Amino acid sequence: MTTTTIRLRRSWITRAAEAVSQAWTELRRRWRERREMQDLNELDEATLRDMGMPLWLQEEARARREQRDMRIGIESLRDSAGPGRFY
């Protein structure tokens, strides 16, 4: 009669490969979520409102627009004033 051994544990290489695979899957998921959030950050508040996005996301878009408009306004004032006017 031949006895057969049953392995109760997986080998360390199998466990390591599964851990790497799970970590890689999680990293890809988080990277995709980050890209999606960056894409949403590029939209203006009206588009976000039309899409039904949360108010906090719309307000962030409004704040970015206002900041951009202010920066453009300051740059245009600086350019129109000529050299030496603003320090």
Side-chain angles (χ1 to χ4, degrees), residues 12-83:
W12 70 270
I13 193 76
T14 303
R15 292 191 313 265
E18 287 176 1
V20 168
S21 174
Q22 289 172 354
W24 182 251
T25 301
E26 180 66 18
L27 180 65
R28 286 188 322 182
R29 184 186 64 78
R30 288 185 182 196
W31 186 256
R32 184 173 44 251
E33 287 175 358
R34 181 179 172 146
R35 270 194 327 224
E36 289 170 357
M37 194 62 168
Q38 287 174 339
D39 290 344
L40 284 176
N41 284 339
E42 294 176 4
L43 299 175
D44 64 349
E45 67 266 25
T47 304
L48 292 172
R49 183 177 51 248
D50 292 345
M51 292 172 62
M53 290 295 159
L55 187 59
W56 66 268
L57 201 57
Q58 297 173 34
E59 289 300 314
E60 284 186 0
R62 182 190 55 76
R64 281 191 306 275
R65 178 184 48 82
E66 288 177 355
Q67 188 177 34
R68 183 183 63 239
D69 292 348
M70 185 174 288
R71 186 174 51 244
I72 290 171
I74 290 171
E75 289 173 358
S76 68
L77 282 174
R78 185 178 298 143
D79 292 343
S80 67

